[in-house]
Amino acid sequence: MSGEVNIKRLAQELNLSIATVSKALNDSYEISLKTKTRVLTLAKELNYTPNPAASNLRSNKTKTIAVIIPNIANNFFSLAIKGIEEIARQYGYHVLIYQTHEDIEMEMLFTNSLLNGRVDGILTSVSSNEYNNDYYRDLVKKIPLVFFDRVYESLDAFKITTDDYQISFNATEHLIECGCTQISYLYGLEKLPAGRTRFAGYKDALAAHGISIDENLILHYQPEENENVANIINLFQSHKPDAIFSSIEEFAIPAYLACRELKLKIPDDVKIISFSNLSSAKLLNPSLTTITQPAFEIGIEAAKCLFKILTKRGIGDDQNIVLKSVLIKRESTGC
Amino acid sequence: MSGEVNIKRLAQELNLSIATVSKALNDSYEISLKTKTRVLTLAKELNYTPNPAASNLRSNKTKTIAVIIPNIANNFFSLAIKGIEEIARQYGYHVLIYQTHEDIEMEMLFTNSLLNGRVDGILTSVSSNEYNNDYYRDLVKKIPLVFFDRVYESLDAFKITTDDYQISFNATEHLIECGCTQISYLYGLEKLPAGRTRFAGYKDALAAHGISIDENLILHYQPEENENVANIINLFQSHKPDAIFSSIEEFAIPAYLACRELKLKIPDDVKIISFSNLSSAKLLNPSLTTITQPAFEIGIEAAKCLFKILTKRGIGDDQNIVLKSVLIKRESTGC
DNA sequence: TTAAAACCCGAAAACGTTTACGTAATTAAA
DNA sequence: TTTAATTACGTAAACGTTTTCGGGTTTTAA
């Protein structure tokens, strides 16, 4: 009935010491089965739940992890979060979310604010605007941290990535096999390994088929969507690519819009392929050939990896998990 | 250099008491400007950040809110979270995420686990599988809570919703004006006000135009996507709707797939309209006429509302904010 | 029968803050 | 000049746990 229900209250009503109640709740071997059940039943009856702040303060464990990502409203990241959340749930952990808007200052601000014991560990997919290796080299010593998708490659840290190079190579080859030679590359994540590796796969595939690379066919991502559409239109008008390889999902819709604007037929006039987790890719006009990353699974694996570290189990395994993306061929490459 | 940096450490190095340092950090009027700056500079120098657990424990404030939603990987909810996170950032709050998978048991489990002082407030969009008014009637007395989109209508609580009735009415009218009379309704969220209201808008629009409602044209949502496709196909075969009104985004792609399967031409054979936040709606084949909810703004408003409560400002204003959805007419209704 | 081990529980300190209260020094009011 | 008010800081308790240590009782082994 009365005020807050805490350990002291339980102890009083059961004529036990605070210590005993606490140990009973934590299933300590020091407590007899009989008193354990007494405590548990009263706890349930009074709807007792331990005060997390007190618990954290004393034990230095928070049962909380943080996820730091550039943008929540993105198919890839929201799927990854979904995976992370589900694993966290299994382990009884809570999940904090921070979005950086691709701003490394924010990223560091958030991360620093987590170092005082607010969380037990961090999952992060770093922002693309700047590459700050030094900061993260220090950071990984201070707190359990797992990178996913957007990682710092040279760092000795836990990383979950995908086979960006191979899948980009394959995708480019697919375009070549469809008869394309003037393959425009829409370049995203340039400052990150993921972006560089995708580009390398593209380049090497061209080279492997004796196609020389044309710098004029490479377009760099701009944060404002309108600019990208305009740039793609420009690209079409100045040079005449017969295919587009979009290295990030954000380029896919602008590419379609540009084609529509110029009345170019996909895939007859130009073939399009894009990294993407759009659930509606198969219903686009025409359906879009995609490189789809296993976003959900990446979240799962990243979270599992972190919990391995937190529970001190299975450390020493390879720190680098690489998952396979899948190339889904549809009408936009039409062959 | 040495171990952890906390208030005690600062106090020692500055020859001040712990209390003084704490007050200085919290900008108390009791402390002179001189010592304040001394404290602040050393704090910055040593990279001091207060231990949140200790702070929470003593002050009963966590600077944390929780967001409870059915599913993160959903355009509407990820946009809403994005809005919530941005506002939380402005207020210096942290955001916990929980997904219920439309399971009311989980929903209650999560919520209960937040009542012991883990968060200062909750934002929730309730699960659709069951309607548990009693639970929430008690809950809103225990903790600041704001419902968004999926609300409990009869509750005296803060609610952020959209004009579901009006926009459904308008959308149905749009179909009627396009010449449709056999308008199938794909029914989602049946147990929630949002779902019921959308249906009411549909029904009333039919009535307003002298069209009698045909129960056979109403299809209820099934959790497994395949079932929905099959059901829609069935519906087409048994009755011959000339339009589909999809009341939730989850029905949109199945509807398209069913049409594709049956080789029905959209919008010639059948017109389609759907509630949706798909960014690619305009690029579908054909582009999809949508009722688009202001998901991001809903998140913004919900968070603002919660922070109003938490800062005790502006309470007494209307507890019910209704935002406008927008009907975006595209090719799938073709007129 | 006795020593050792096992079992069960309690007292009290500790985690790092915040805050009510007390106090000395200074300033303003009478 | 005396008194009251203001300013600036310190003491210590409190928040609700966890955990170390110790002790008493019962069981087991020798």
Side-chain angles (χ1 to χ4, degrees):
Chain A
M1 281 301 123
S2 68
E4 301 313 306
V5 34
N6 51 26
I7 281 198
K8 191 192 291 182
R9 166 93 177 276
L10 294 180
Q12 282 174 348
E13 302 215 2
L14 292 168
N15 264 326
L16 287 171
S17 77
I18 289 181
T20 303
V21 174
S22 172
K23 289 175 190 167
L25 292 170
N26 292 312
D27 201 29
S28 161
Y29 70 96
E30 298 182 48
I31 306 300
S32 71
L33 188 63
K34 196 173 143 192
T35 43
K36 270 183 192 170
T37 54
R38 280 183 68 211
V39 171
L40 268 312
T41 54
L42 183 64
K44 173 145 288 185
E45 191 185 321
L46 297 184
N47 230 318
Y48 167 80
T49 51
N51 180 301
S55 180
N56 299 349
L57 178 58
R58 181 57 226 251
S59 67
N60 266 326
K61 309 222 167 301
T62 64
K63 284 271 182 183
T64 306
I65 62 174
V67 181
I68 303 179
I69 52 171
N71 179 10
I72 295 171
N74 167 291
N75 294 303
F76 175 81
F77 288 119
S78 64
L79 275 168
I81 295 175
K82 185 183 170 82
I84 292 167
E85 204 270 352
E86 290 190 9
I87 299 299
R89 210 51 56 216
Q90 289 178 19
Y91 284 80
Y93 269 66
H94 303 258
V95 180
L96 284 167
I97 297 275
Y98 302 85
Q99 57 181 345
T100 65
H101 298 277
E102 308 280 7
D103 179 352
I104 192 146
E105 298 296 330
M106 279 216 174
E107 195 173 304
M108 291 164 59
L109 216 65
F110 293 153
T111 314
N112 285 333
S113 80
L114 298 172
L115 295 179
N116 50 20
R118 186 175 289 277
V119 298
D120 295 344
I122 299 178
L123 295 169
T124 188
S125 201
V126 304
S127 84
S128 62
N129 284 349
E130 217 169 317
Y131 199 73
N132 196 336
N133 216 321
D134 294 348
Y135 176 74
Y136 276 101
R137 187 179 36 242
D138 290 345
L139 185 68
V140 294
K141 295 173 195 155
K142 296 182 187 166
I143 192 166
L145 189 146
V146 174
F147 292 94
F148 66 97
D149 191 49
R150 300 184 180 192
V151 307
Y152 277 4
E153 216 168 24
S154 61
L155 241 56
D156 181 31
F158 293 89
K159 287 166 261 180
I160 317 293
T161 54
T162 50
D163 57 343
D164 283 315
Y165 177 84
Q166 190 58 50
I167 199 77
S168 291
F169 191 99
N170 295 351
T172 309
E173 213 162 39
H174 172 55
L175 290 171
I176 294 170
E177 284 164 1
C178 291
C180 303
T181 55
Q182 299 295 101
I183 303 175
S184 171
Y185 189 85
L186 307 188
Y187 205 157
L189 305 176
E190 296 178 52
K191 296 185 178 158
L192 295 179
R196 300 251 178 88
T197 312
R198 291 174 192 183
F199 185 64
Y202 158 79
K203 241 174 47 177
D204 290 359
L206 289 185
H209 288 78
I211 301 174
S212 64
I213 190 162
D214 181 354
E215 292 285 345
N216 294 313
L217 292 176
I218 299 170
L219 195 62
H220 303 272
Y221 181 69
Q222 307 298 332
E224 301 93 56
E225 178 160 335
N226 293 336
E227 263 189 74
N228 290 314
V229 176
N231 288 344
I232 297 172
I233 290 177
N234 258 329
L235 179 73
F236 272 122
Q237 290 173 331
S238 55
H239 309 78
K240 302 271 178 199
D242 52 15
I244 286 185
F245 184 136
S246 158
S247 68
I248 53 174
E249 179 172 303
E250 286 81 355
F251 258 135
I253 292 184
Y256 267 59
L257 292 177
C259 291
R260 182 170 294 190
E261 180 78 17
L262 295 171
K263 307 209 186 304
L264 291 170
K265 290 248 177 282
I266 312 169
D268 299 337
D269 300 332
V270 58
K271 305 197 193 313
I272 298 185
I273 206 168
S274 179
F275 270 81
S276 172
N277 286 88
L278 272 174
S279 62
S280 57
K282 62 181 161 190
L283 294 179
L284 291 188
N285 182 13
S287 65
L288 172 64
T289 293
T290 60
I291 299 168
T292 298
Q293 296 178 280
F296 181 71
E297 289 75 15
I298 290 175
I300 299 266
E301 290 302 324
K304 279 186 179 170
C305 178
L306 181 58
F307 286 120
K308 254 191 205 166
I309 304 172
L310 292 180
T311 56
K312 319 270 187 226
R313 269 199 285 254
I315 315 275
D317 300 14
D318 52 340
Q319 303 203 144
N320 235 311
I321 299 180
V322 180
L323 300 178
K324 280 196 188 307
S325 294
V326 38
L327 175 63
I328 305 174
K329 300 174 184 173
R330 298 202 184 88
E331 295 166 5
S332 69
T333 50
C335 83
Chain B
M1 283 295 127
S2 66
E4 301 312 308
V5 34
N6 51 25
I7 280 196
K8 191 191 291 181
R9 167 95 177 276
L10 294 180
Q12 283 173 349
E13 303 214 3
L14 292 169
N15 263 325
L16 288 171
S17 76
I18 291 182
T20 303
V21 173
S22 172
K23 289 174 191 168
L25 291 169
N26 290 312
D27 200 29
S28 161
Y29 69 96
E30 298 182 46
I31 306 300
S32 71
L33 188 63
K34 196 174 143 190
T35 41
K36 270 183 193 172
T37 55
R38 281 182 67 211
V39 172
L40 268 312
T41 55
L42 182 64
K44 174 145 289 182
E45 191 185 321
L46 298 184
N47 230 319
Y48 166 80
T49 51
N51 179 300
S55 181
N56 298 350
L57 178 58
R58 180 56 226 250
S59 67
N60 266 325
K61 309 224 167 299
T62 64
K63 284 266 179 189
T64 305
I65 62 173
V67 180
I68 303 178
I69 51 172
N71 179 11
I72 296 170
N74 166 292
N75 295 303
F76 176 81
F77 287 119
S78 63
L79 275 170
I81 295 175
K82 185 183 172 80
I84 292 167
E85 204 270 353
E86 292 190 10
I87 299 298
R89 210 51 56 217
Q90 289 177 19
Y91 283 80
Y93 269 67
H94 303 258
V95 180
L96 284 167
I97 297 277
Y98 301 86
Q99 56 180 346
T100 65
H101 298 276
E102 307 281 6
D103 179 352
I104 192 146
E105 297 297 330
M106 280 215 173
E107 195 173 304
M108 289 164 58
L109 216 65
F110 294 152
T111 314
N112 284 334
S113 80
L114 298 173
L115 295 179
N116 50 19
R118 186 175 290 276
V119 298
D120 295 344
I122 298 178
L123 294 169
T124 187
S125 201
V126 304
S127 83
S128 62
N129 284 350
E130 217 168 316
Y131 199 73
N132 196 335
N133 216 321
D134 294 349
Y135 176 74
Y136 277 100
R137 187 180 37 242
D138 290 346
L139 185 68
V140 294
K141 294 172 196 156
K142 296 181 187 164
I143 191 166
L145 189 147
V146 174
F147 293 95
F148 66 96
D149 191 49
R150 300 183 179 193
V151 306
Y152 277 5
E153 216 169 22
S154 62
L155 241 56
D156 182 31
F158 293 89
K159 288 165 259 178
I160 317 293
T161 53
T162 50
D163 57 342
D164 282 315
Y165 176 84
Q166 190 58 49
I167 200 77
S168 291
F169 191 99
N170 294 351
T172 308
E173 212 162 39
H174 172 55
L175 290 172
I176 295 170
E177 285 163 0
C178 290
C180 303
T181 55
Q182 299 295 102
I183 304 174
S184 170
Y185 189 85
L186 306 188
Y187 205 155
L189 307 176
E190 296 178 53
K191 296 184 178 158
L192 295 180
R196 300 250 177 89
T197 312
R198 291 174 191 182
F199 184 64
Y202 158 80
K203 239 173 51 176
D204 289 359
L206 290 185
H209 287 78
I211 301 173
S212 63
I213 190 161
D214 182 353
E215 292 286 345
N216 294 313
L217 292 176
I218 300 170
L219 196 62
H220 302 272
Y221 181 70
Q222 306 299 332
E224 301 93 58
E225 180 160 332
N226 293 337
E227 261 189 74
N228 290 315
V229 177
N231 287 345
I232 297 172
I233 290 177
N234 258 330
L235 179 71
F236 273 122
Q237 290 173 331
S238 55
H239 307 78
K240 302 272 178 200
D242 52 15
I244 286 184
F245 184 135
S246 157
S247 68
I248 53 174
E249 179 171 301
E250 286 80 356
F251 258 136
I253 292 184
Y256 267 60
L257 292 177
C259 289
R260 181 171 294 190
E261 181 79 16
L262 295 171
K263 306 209 187 305
L264 292 171
K265 290 249 178 283
I266 311 170
D268 298 339
D269 299 333
V270 59
K271 306 196 192 315
I272 298 186
I273 205 167
S274 180
F275 269 83
S276 172
N277 285 89
L278 272 174
S279 62
S280 58
K282 61 182 161 191
L283 295 178
L284 290 188
N285 183 13
S287 63
L288 172 63
T289 294
T290 59
I291 298 168
T292 298
Q293 295 179 280
F296 181 70
E297 288 76 14
I298 290 175
I300 299 267
E301 290 302 324
K304 279 185 179 172
C305 179
L306 181 58
F307 287 120
K308 253 192 208 168
I309 304 172
L310 293 179
T311 56
K312 318 269 187 226
R313 268 199 285 253
I315 316 273
D317 299 15
D318 52 340
Q319 302 203 143
N320 235 312
I321 299 180
V322 181
L323 300 177
K324 279 195 188 308
S325 295
V326 38
L327 174 64
I328 305 175
K329 300 174 184 174
R330 298 203 185 87
E331 296 166 5
S332 70
T333 49
C335 81

